[in-house]
Amino acid sequence: MADDDFRILLVEDNPGDARLIEEMLRETTVPLSSVGEADVGRETREVTLRRADCLEAGLDRLSSSIDIVLLDLGLPDSSGLDTLTSVLEHSATVPIVVLTGLSDERVGVRAVQQGAQAYLVKDEITSALLTRSLRHALERHQRETQLTALSTVSRELMSMTAFDDIADRAVTAAAESLEFPVAVVCLYDDRGELRPRAATDRAEEVLLAAESSGATGVSSHLSTPCAAVVERVFATKRADVAAADDPDASLPDADSPLRSRLAFPLGTHGVFLVGSATESTIPSTAVNYASILATNTEAALERLSREQRLQEREAELERQTESLEQLNQINAMIRDVVQSVVHATTRTEIEQAVCDRLAAADSFRFAWIGVHDELERTVTPHARSGVEDGYLDSVPLTTDGESDEGGPIGAAVRTRELRVVGDVVRELSSASRREEAMKRGYRSIASIPLVYAETLYGVLTIYADRPGIFTEQVQAVLTELGETIAHAINAAESKKALISDRVVELKFEIRDTDIVFLALTAEIGCECSVESVVPRMDDRLRVFFSTDGASVDEVAAFAERALAIEEFTLVAEREDECVFECTLRESNVISFCLERGVTVQTLIANDGTGQLTVELSSDADVRGFAERFRSTYPESSLVASREDERSVQTRQAFQTTLTDRLTDRQAEVLRTAFFSGYFESPRASSGRDVAATLDITQPTFNHHLRAALRKLLMLLYTD
């Protein structure tokens, strides 16, 4: 008996009926119903009949390879539907055709309902009917087997948690259950390409390029004809059915390696391609079942995609919630830091309070503030708090060049921007810094430059106990904190400069042509002196300056052209000297000094050069200011520096000085006007009333009063 014969087991106890069926089977062959490539070129198989005359013998024979069973329900050791039940329990995978008597036709119908593929009434059997029944039984059994397999595969697909697993199960089901030897699933990847993720061995041979191999073991490239089909189906979202012998669905591409194929779009995920390199037709049932498998595969891919998106959203929501909680904690801590800064009165108190509050936070292990020396290119610690354990002594605190040895601190100094090391282990380039940081439990670092009005007052560096804590939101908060600290330090330094008894006076020789007062004297050839500076509400400066040797028209014409001057007016004109008022735009030499807590004493210019005298508190960063000034105004040079004790004038001394400057008549007019209520609002006495009291004319009163007021204000604002 050849291995590829079609084997029929006949279970029949009646010898006559058995011989009749044997004769009929000799006259017929059974057509194939499979599309398997192994059967290419063979439309029929030779029939081999095995016979058993009882149920027990039939079950023994059934253990060997049998393609179909012809079962008589009336046997010596079993009868009725119990016979069918016994066979089904023994082997549910073999199709069964039940043989019944004429009076038992209803039993045959019930047998089909319980699992038989067909039934034949013995007295009505013919050779053609027997052949047709066997073929239909085989086809029906195959369809049932495929549907059962598809149902199982569907459940498996919907439970899988990886796209590659889904693709692999789909091609396996296409090959084993639907008997498509060629099957491949191509998925759309993050790079915008359709790439094979799973394929049968036969598909690897005929469809995929052999020169490269992907991570899944499947070639990562489709051959050109196959790629064209897959891309077209994916783009149009329409299935493609093609067969060499089907005029309604012929192959459009002559160089296709497949004789028949089915290509189904998998939504936005990819394409499922099945077919045969030898079979030129595809049964309609195969098309339907392949469509079902493709639909189930698409559903599984979409389910997994939704689940992954949901997981990503949940993870992102969890990260955002954690970040928000962390941000709220940090905001509360920052508010505490700001309060401590507000109540601090000196720079030392400000810096130490900031470090103490930050180090007290749950997530921060250490915080310190250092001051940068521009000449030495080093950072010197001023305040520190938390778990330091000698860290600042173990690492270099340099900012020289672009070296990584400076770490985030050096980068913050150079760029004047916040710098973060999100993960010390992975991101800190300096091996020595990384080792020392890990010893002390530092896992992330943030360095915040303390900058106000372009002046770097220092660098605040914070060390946290876990990576990733310095998110974008936290960085924004820390940047604002750095500005607040710098502003507070500036205010403390400015206040100190005003009230300090000992001061340092610096005198610069300035030649920079972008200083407007130097440009004025260079163009007109006059002398100019800044008399007074009054800050405006909008942070700009109102400046009073005098000129000697220039006409009003010349100065006005210059002011109209000068970009640095706006709101220019004439205040007074006296012989060769004129006094003007103007508003200076931002970024001028006076504002540069004031914003750094430095007092401008004098600014005198003549023929394009000038002298600027400024005053700082004795413990201010004098060298740092001088370096910053020369960096901003490179044509300037420091010509003198001296430390002195600021004189303190008592009220009595002030009054004595004023009395010495006023004439007797001016002193009398000023005192009488004050005590007569002339300066009240509304006035208690008019100028005419006061003049009458003094027995002088009103014009004389006005002349003496203005002279007295001018001397008083000069003593107050200039001397």
Side-chain angles (χ1 to χ4, degrees), residues 319-587:
R319 285 193 297 270
Q320 291 178 354
T321 302
E322 181 180 355
S323 177
L324 182 60
E325 292 175 352
Q326 184 183 92
L327 185 61
N328 289 336
Q329 294 174 358
I330 291 178
N331 278 330
M333 177 197 63
I334 295 301
R335 287 194 295 270
D336 188 29
V337 172
V338 171
Q339 287 296 319
S340 65
V341 167
V342 169
H343 291 94
T345 58
T346 66
R347 176 171 183 166
T348 301
E349 290 179 3
I350 292 171
E351 293 175 341
Q352 192 58 52
V354 168
C355 293
D356 290 342
R357 296 300 190 279
L358 290 173
D362 293 337
S363 301
F364 299 155
R365 292 183 62 78
F366 177 48
W368 67 286
I369 292 177
V371 175
H372 181 234
D373 188 319
E374 294 186 5
L375 296 179
E376 300 295 333
R377 298 286 191 246
T378 59
V379 178
T380 303
H382 267 203
R384 68 188 77 183
S385 185
V387 182
E388 192 258 345
D389 292 340
Y391 177 75
L392 299 181
D393 296 327
S394 64
V395 297
L397 301 177
T398 61
T399 61
D400 188 23
E402 299 296 326
S403 172
D404 290 337
E405 279 299 310
I409 301 171
V413 169
R414 290 192 297 270
T415 64
R416 304 292 179 92
E417 295 179 353
L418 180 143
R419 285 292 182 266
V420 166
V421 176
D423 189 336
V424 166
V425 176
R426 297 180 178 179
E427 300 177 21
L428 196 59
S429 57
S430 171
S432 60
R433 286 182 177 275
R434 184 168 58 250
E435 181 182 2
E436 296 297 332
M438 293 178 64
K439 285 180 182 178
R440 295 161 178 82
Y442 307 157
R443 292 298 178 264
S444 56
I445 308 171
S447 290
I448 306 101
L450 308 180
V451 179
Y452 177 75
E454 300 181 1
T455 298
L456 178 67
Y457 286 97
V459 181
L460 166 64
T461 304
I462 308 170
Y463 300 81
D465 60 4
R466 61 179 183 271
I469 191 173
F470 298 109
T471 62
E472 291 184 3
Q473 296 91 334
V474 174
Q475 291 181 38
V477 172
L478 292 178
T479 298
E480 292 184 7
L481 175 63
E483 295 172 355
T484 301
I485 297 171
H487 186 277
I489 293 175
N490 172 267
E493 294 287 294
S494 300
K495 179 181 178 182
K496 188 174 183 179
L498 291 174
I499 66 175
S500 176
D501 291 338
R502 299 197 62 79
V503 295
V504 176
E505 183 182 88
L506 301 179
K507 183 177 291 186
F508 293 92
E509 183 174 302
I510 51 179
R511 297 178 180 274
D512 301 81
T513 56
D514 58 346
I515 297 177
V516 66
F517 302 110
L518 272 61
L520 169 65
T521 62
E523 180 174 323
I524 299 178
C526 65
E527 182 177 324
C528 176
S529 176
V530 173
E531 303 293 341
S532 179
V533 177
V534 181
R536 289 177 28 145
M537 296 296 294
D538 57 4
D539 293 334
R540 291 183 295 173
L541 296 177
R542 179 178 289 110
V543 178
F544 295 87
F545 67 95
S546 63
T547 61
D548 190 355
S551 68
V552 174
D553 292 340
E554 288 177 319
V555 178
F558 173 85
E560 186 175 354
R561 296 191 305 271
L563 298 177
I565 294 179
E566 59 182 16
E567 300 182 13
F568 173 83
T569 58
L570 173 66
V571 176
E573 182 178 5
R574 297 184 297 272
E575 297 181 357
D576 291 337
E577 183 184 28
C578 300
V579 179
F580 302 93
E581 175 190 351
C582 72
T583 299
L584 292 184
R585 299 183 189 274
E586 295 180 2
S587 300

